[in-house]
Amino acid sequence: MSGDEVNPAAVAKPVEDLQGDDRWMSQHTRFVQECKDAEPDVLFVGDSMIQLMRQNEVWRELFSPLHALNFGIGGDNTCNVLWRLQNGELDNIRPKVVVLWVGTNNHPHTAEQVAGGIHAIVQLLMSRIPKAKIVVLGLLPRGERPNPLREKNAAVNEILSDSLPRLGRAQLLDVSREFVHSDGAISPQDMFDFLHLTQTGYRTLAKPLSDLLLQILEEKPEERPVSLV
Amino acid sequence: MSAEDSNPAATPTLREDTEGDARWMSLHNRFVSDSKDKEPDVLFVGDSLIQLLHQFGIWRQLFSPLHALNFGVGGDATQHVLWRLSNGELDNISPKVVVLWVGTFNYAHTPEQICGGIMAIVQVIKNKLPNSRTLVLGLLPRGKSPNLRRERNAAVNKLVQEAVASLPHASFLNVDPGFVHSNGSISHQDMYDYLHLTPQGFQAVCEPLHAHLKSMLEKPAEN
């Protein structure tokens, strides 16, 4: 599939404590502990887009009832999520679905590299939790007006929409088009800082996501497509 | 006041668009535009702690009724807030109170420099809004366990509290309801990442803040 060159977006890396209060490691440690205590059916993992979801009403209304855990950390890129999942955040749990949302913070990497990083995470998930379905959320557009980051995120989604389904148990859910108006603008009513979602923004995403999760959770084992292993 | 020139925390500095989507400037422009259209009685200004406050129900519940505007930007340090307020965000408005909450993101600066930055902001507000009073909120502790950053923030609070004591147009409010438990830890129920407040954390901070604001608003303005 990909060349033999190392993709920097697929190299597991923890976040250094540059601020002096060790918050990233504290959050990771807490998640590892949660794996020992909880039995989630759905695991949400990713960056601040996942993390902030936990603080919004949609979590209590739509996702908490599904027995979900939230392992989002603000600022994380694919390397950081990969490291966390390799270092305890998948131990002792057997979720039926994993929701993955990461990639918008991969600033040094190209769209191809970011997609490759997301792939590496999906492959790790599939090998560690053989029966889980994986829902990858498309990277949302960002910034008030059209800009290179929107193009890059769209390019990542484009690659994933083609390559993810071939992995058998993974799919892309992309709600990007809901957020850009006809004049190309993103509204602060949807993204309060033109990146992070408001309550309204989360509702726009949560409805199709929740519908998809319910559908997956209700599937009987014989209805699931047989994956080619 | 030439000391400010050599204090990077007190030198107005805009944030460069290193990511490529110009979000900081978009937010600043929107706030400048809000200043033209709106007539707030209370202006909240600062970093992500102010910005996030606007996203939870508590804003609508406690602060919207006070006719409040929110000019918070995540990640802003004192020099960034200073730039924003010096470049349009205070034009055309005359709030009775400005609530200022900034300083926890000044990673490269000493407590003295951060205090200098906060006091420079207080001075800009006084210059542009001679009839407003500024309420400076104390920096909260952060991190799960005791750490340097908590000591740094506590040192800033002490300096600011002293500096503001002699000013008729500004005051200091400690809004920490006791987030640090007896074992030195902060709970993720209050700060989901040991820095940013959860809705529960905001509730504990905002109830006393709201009460204090209301009493300030009921007093006549000082000149």
Side-chain angles (χ1 to χ4, degrees):
Chain A
M1 193 175 102
S2 55
D4 287 344
E5 293 161 13
V6 172
N7 173 4
V11 175
K13 256 195 268 183
V15 169
E16 259 190 270
D17 178 27
L18 299 174
Q19 296 169 10
D21 54 11
D22 216 22
R23 296 182 305 107
W24 191 84
M25 196 51 77
S26 296
Q27 291 170 83
H28 167 63
T29 303
R30 180 173 99 230
F31 297 156
V32 173
Q33 185 59 43
E34 284 180 34
C35 282
K36 297 189 174 109
D37 305 330
E39 289 177 4
D41 285 335
V42 187
L43 175 66
F44 285 73
V45 68
D47 54 30
S48 55
M49 307 299 286
I50 288 286
Q51 185 172 42
L52 266 182
M53 204 188 291
R54 178 81 178 71
Q55 305 306 319
N56 269 268
E57 285 165 8
V58 290
W59 186 265
R60 196 182 28 90
E61 287 171 22
L62 295 175
F63 301 119
S64 201
L66 303 181
H67 304 115
L69 277 189
N70 186 307
F71 289 0
I73 298 185
D76 267 16
N77 59 27
T78 53
C79 307
N80 310 135
V81 170
L82 200 51
W83 190 93
R84 294 198 276 121
L85 295 177
Q86 287 175 356
N87 285 275
E89 291 184 20
L90 293 178
D91 293 356
N92 307 307
I93 55 171
R94 280 282 174 272
K96 296 177 180 144
V97 191
V98 179
V99 177
L100 174 65
W101 206 6
V102 67
T104 201
N105 294 318
N106 280 63
H107 294 298
H109 307 137
T110 63
E112 290 74 22
Q113 288 171 333
V114 178
I118 292 169
H119 256 264
I121 297 169
V122 171
Q123 279 161 337
L124 173 72
L125 290 169
M126 288 185 353
S127 70
R128 290 289 307 271
I129 316 171
K131 296 198 172 111
K133 284 278 189 69
I134 297 147
V135 174
V136 177
L137 292 177
L139 304 185
L140 294 184
R142 46 186 286 176
E144 193 180 17
R145 307 221 159 76
N147 64 81
L149 282 185
R150 282 202 203 170
E151 291 162 31
K152 182 182 165 193
N153 282 3
V156 173
N157 295 342
E158 173 89 22
I159 297 170
L160 293 176
S161 66
D162 185 52
S163 60
L164 278 182
R166 299 191 204 177
L167 297 178
R169 279 182 286 118
Q171 61 184 294
L172 180 72
L173 177 60
D174 184 8
V175 298
S176 299
R177 89 198 64 185
E178 306 284 341
F179 292 102
V180 182
H181 295 205
S182 50
D183 62 352
I186 285 178
S187 164
Q189 310 290 353
D190 289 323
M191 296 184 188
F192 61 85
D193 61 354
F194 308 110
L195 170 60
H196 294 104
L197 295 169
T198 59
Q199 300 271 21
T200 306
Y202 271 117
R203 284 205 181 282
T204 300
L205 165 76
K207 186 75 182 54
L209 176 57
S210 151
D211 287 348
L212 177 59
L213 290 177
L214 286 171
Q215 187 192 315
I216 295 173
L217 291 169
E218 281 159 19
E219 272 172 9
K220 308 227 186 336
E222 58 268 18
E223 284 169 18
R224 295 198 198 128
V226 176
S227 53
L228 302 163
V229 174
Chain B
M1 291 286 188
S2 60
E4 282 158 11
D5 293 338
S6 58
N7 178 3
T11 307
T13 309
L14 61 73
R15 276 171 77 179
E16 300 289 350
D17 177 25
T18 52
E19 292 177 353
D21 55 9
R23 293 182 305 108
W24 191 83
M25 198 52 79
S26 292
L27 283 171
H28 168 65
N29 289 337
R30 195 156 60 80
F31 296 156
V32 171
S33 171
D34 281 348
S35 283
K36 295 190 177 112
D37 300 335
K38 304 197 168 142
E39 290 176 5
D41 286 335
V42 186
L43 176 68
F44 284 74
V45 77
D47 55 32
S48 44
L49 287 169
I50 290 286
Q51 185 177 43
L52 254 192
L53 174 57
H54 201 192
Q55 299 312 313
F56 296 133
I58 197 154
W59 178 268
R60 227 176 310 116
Q61 189 198 327
L62 294 182
F63 300 119
S64 292
L66 302 183
H67 304 116
L69 267 193
N70 188 306
F71 288 2
V73 177
D76 265 14
T78 54
Q79 63 273 22
H80 307 127
V81 171
L82 194 53
W83 190 95
R84 293 198 280 118
L85 298 186
S86 304
N87 284 275
E89 289 184 18
L90 295 181
D91 296 357
N92 308 304
I93 53 172
S94 43
K96 299 184 178 128
V97 182
V98 178
V99 178
L100 174 64
W101 210 7
V102 67
T104 200
F105 290 103
N106 281 66
Y107 294 121
H109 306 141
T110 65
E112 291 74 18
Q113 288 174 322
I114 299 169
C115 176
I118 290 170
M119 296 317 292
I121 296 170
V122 170
Q123 185 63 44
V124 164
I125 295 169
K126 176 170 188 288
N127 294 340
K128 287 190 174 270
L129 306 175
N131 297 322
S132 298
R133 275 172 300 159
T134 300
L135 180 62
V136 183
L137 302 185
L139 304 184
L140 293 177
R142 46 186 284 178
K144 180 165 193 278
S145 312
N147 63 79
L148 271 176
R149 204 41 68 186
R150 280 195 203 172
E151 292 166 29
R152 178 77 53 105
N153 282 1
V156 171
N157 290 345
K158 190 161 183 294
L159 290 170
V160 172
Q161 189 162 16
E162 284 162 13
V164 141
S166 54
L167 301 178
H169 55 274
S171 55
F172 175 88
L173 183 66
N174 173 12
V175 290
D176 178 6
F179 284 127
V180 179
H181 296 200
S182 53
N183 65 359
S185 72
I186 287 177
S187 165
H188 68 277
Q189 313 271 20
D190 292 321
M191 297 184 188
Y192 59 85
D193 61 355
Y194 310 107
L195 170 61
H196 294 100
L197 296 167
T198 60
Q200 171 182 311
F202 270 120
Q203 197 80 36
V205 163
C206 289
E207 269 156 18
L209 169 59
H210 175 254
H212 190 92
L213 265 179
K214 283 196 79 178
S215 76
M216 285 179 80
L217 290 168
E218 278 155 22
K219 280 201 206 117
E222 297 175 27
N223 288 326

